[in-house]
Amino acid sequence: MREHSIGLSEACIGQEEERAVIEVLRSGWLSQGKKVRALEKAFSEACGLHAVAVGSCTAGLHLVLAGLGLGPGDEVLVPGVTFVATVNAVIYTGARPVPVDILNGLPHMALSAAEAALSPRTRAVVLMHYGGYGMDSLAWKRFADEHGLMVIEDAAHCPGLPGLGEHSAAAVLSFFANKNMTTAEGGMILTGDADLAHRLHRLRSHGMSSDTLTRAAGHAYSYDVDMLGWNYRMDEIRAAVGLAQLAKLPRYNARRRELTAQYRAELQEYAPWIGLPFSSGQAFAAHLMTVLLPRGLDRRCLMGEMRAAGVQTSIHYPMFHRFSWHKHFLGDISLPCTEDWCTRTLTLPLHPALSEGDVSHVVTSLARIGEQMGHA
Ligand SMILES: *Cc1c(COP(=O)(O)O)cnc(C)c1O
């Protein structure tokens, strides 16, 4: 038995974050202010797009979909394999999410399935770059242009991935505690559309025409509300943590990619019965280390044995179209490749604080347990 168990993900917080939080707490200005603006500016300068900070990626997705005018009567294509938040954000607007099957053995939405799911009501498609592996944004843009659709990217898995928001209306990052960089809870919208960015800045704060900081500085006397907004703001404490995390993100992502390469090499050598989706060549933010188990293998038993070996594993994702609420809402639908993926997928620990020894322990445990279960 190992003295420490290996967790699926771990937030890497250091003195920089601690100092940043204390500085904000002592400053006397806690809610959305200069730190939030600074975090937006940092993202905006890094990617050459407009950036809008929000309280979570879920809030950001809702804000973008609402800001683009989607609502009752509209249909929005969503991937069959994603976190439930992607789908819920569509439902919040009153539009109907239409789940689309993925590629065979790869958790990215299939273009052919998207084409088959089109109806005269289809107005948008939400892409999800699973695990931090970017989809072919240009191919999806061509598809969307051909059918008059808007593209929105759920980029929760890919802070640091280049090209986000360049071929879409907007991309939304997540800074949840288990993502590549964190603010505990938080998100960032990236868009090249200045009008949309302006609208989103208003919508995230009740639709008000000026924010508290602007009024405190005497630049605005009062405010008007000319659209129905929400409170989807980020606060100064989180933004300060985000600035510290952003500075470390390139290092974190490089480490995640190194560990992914080690996983792939060792899995190929010691557990060749395990499927490795994605290729090692493509640009990626290495959010998840996901493998594909052989059909018929008892995953629940395997996960229990891995836990006994001190390794936490997880499933990305359980099928949302089978959740009780969503099954009731969406009706009975069949997505064969999604169902195959969701019953066979397994996510292994991946975060910058893992050591090479940790990765080897995960691989040898998996190889040993698989062998005991009849796979070699
Ligand atoms: C984490 C995640 C979200 C939600 O992000 P929050 O910031 O927690 O709201 C949405 N989509 C995907 C694919 C995610 O992994």
Side-chain angles (χ1 to χ4, degrees):
M1 198 61 203
R2 297 166 59 86
E3 56 228 57
H4 76 284
S5 60
I6 302 173
L8 196 67
S9 68
E10 196 175 295
C12 300
I13 299 293
Q15 285 180 349
E16 298 78 5
E17 288 81 357
E18 289 178 15
R19 273 198 294 269
V21 167
I22 289 170
E23 187 201 325
V24 170
L25 291 175
R26 289 179 180 163
S27 76
W29 192 287
L30 302 184
S31 52
Q32 183 182 288
K34 289 177 182 161
K35 294 285 180 192
V36 171
R37 285 188 187 170
L39 186 63
E40 290 177 335
K41 186 157 175 275
F43 270 93
S44 176
E45 283 172 358
C47 63
L49 299 169
H50 304 276
V52 183
V54 281
S56 70
C57 173
T58 310
L61 287 168
H62 178 205
L63 207 62
V64 166
L65 294 162
L68 291 171
L70 291 158
D74 298 330
E75 288 181 2
V76 179
L77 306 181
V78 296
V81 174
T82 189
F83 182 53
V84 70
T86 319
V87 187
N88 289 353
V90 176
I91 299 172
Y92 300 156
T93 67
R96 186 164 186 85
V98 177
V100 172
D101 210 359
I102 58 165
L103 294 158
N104 189 9
L106 201 70
H108 281 163
M109 200 185 332
L111 260 172
S112 56
E115 185 125 41
L118 290 170
S119 89
R121 294 167 182 269
T122 315
R123 290 201 49 212
V125 53
V126 183
L127 305 180
M128 200 281 271
H129 306 288
Y130 182 105
Y133 296 83
M135 297 174 72
D136 186 347
S137 301
L138 274 172
W140 281 94
K141 183 178 173 6
R142 271 196 304 275
F143 166 79
D145 287 348
E146 203 177 306
H147 299 285
L149 312 179
M150 296 179 278
V151 180
I152 297 100
E153 295 169 272
D154 178 340
H157 292 186
C158 24
L161 185 72
L164 294 172
E166 281 177 19
H167 306 295
S168 66
V172 190
L173 305 174
S174 172
F175 305 144
F176 183 64
N178 66 5
K179 300 289 163 54
N180 289 27
M181 64 168 272
T182 187
T183 60
E185 299 274 4
M188 186 68 71
I189 302 166
L190 304 174
T191 177
D193 180 340
D195 288 340
L196 179 64
H198 181 71
R199 203 153 62 245
L200 297 179
H201 272 118
R202 301 265 294 267
L203 281 173
R204 81 165 162 200
S205 193
H206 311 287
M208 293 192 292
S209 58
S210 69
D211 64 15
T212 322
L213 191 63
T214 310
R215 289 195 300 282
H219 300 316
Y221 160 68
S222 183
Y223 58 85
D224 185 25
V225 172
D226 61 358
M227 52 181 93
L228 183 67
W230 294 268
N231 176 357
Y232 282 170
R233 293 182 302 254
M234 184 183 273
D235 60 67
E236 292 291 273
I237 302 167
R238 284 166 204 192
V241 172
L243 283 162
Q245 288 269 296
L246 182 60
K248 302 175 182 178
L249 183 66
R251 203 153 32 88
Y252 285 167
N253 281 357
R255 180 66 183 151
R256 285 171 172 275
R257 280 190 288 268
E258 267 173 26
L259 294 166
T260 301
Q262 187 193 341
Y263 262 125
R264 294 185 73 93
E266 293 190 5
L267 284 167
Q268 256 155 16
E269 184 166 353
Y270 301 110
W273 48 275
I274 282 186
L276 293 173
F278 303 110
S279 71
S280 35
Q282 74 191 109
F284 64 112
H287 176 54
L288 298 176
M289 180 62 217
T290 298
V291 300
L292 209 48
L293 301 173
R295 290 196 180 83
L297 182 138
D298 184 343
R299 182 173 59 182
R300 181 192 290 248
C301 169
L302 177 98
M303 290 175 77
E305 293 293 325
M306 288 295 283
R307 178 176 297 276
V311 180
Q312 187 192 3
T313 57
S314 184
I315 297 166
H316 291 90
Y317 287 95
M319 285 174 265
F320 69 78
H321 66 286
R322 297 284 166 78
F323 289 152
S324 1
W325 192 89
H326 295 80
K327 191 178 159 114
H328 179 76
F329 180 82
L330 295 164
D332 237 335
I333 50 176
S334 158
L335 302 169
C337 294
T338 293
E339 283 151 32
D340 183 55
W341 173 271
C342 293
T343 47
R344 292 169 61 203
T345 187
L346 184 75
T347 303
L348 306 176
L350 182 62
H351 57 79
L354 283 182
S355 68
E356 284 82 3
D358 291 333
V359 168
S360 295
H361 176 72
V362 174
V363 173
T364 48
S365 304
L366 199 54
R368 173 177 53 77
I369 294 160
E371 201 173 317
Q372 283 161 7
M373 295 176 72
H375 296 274

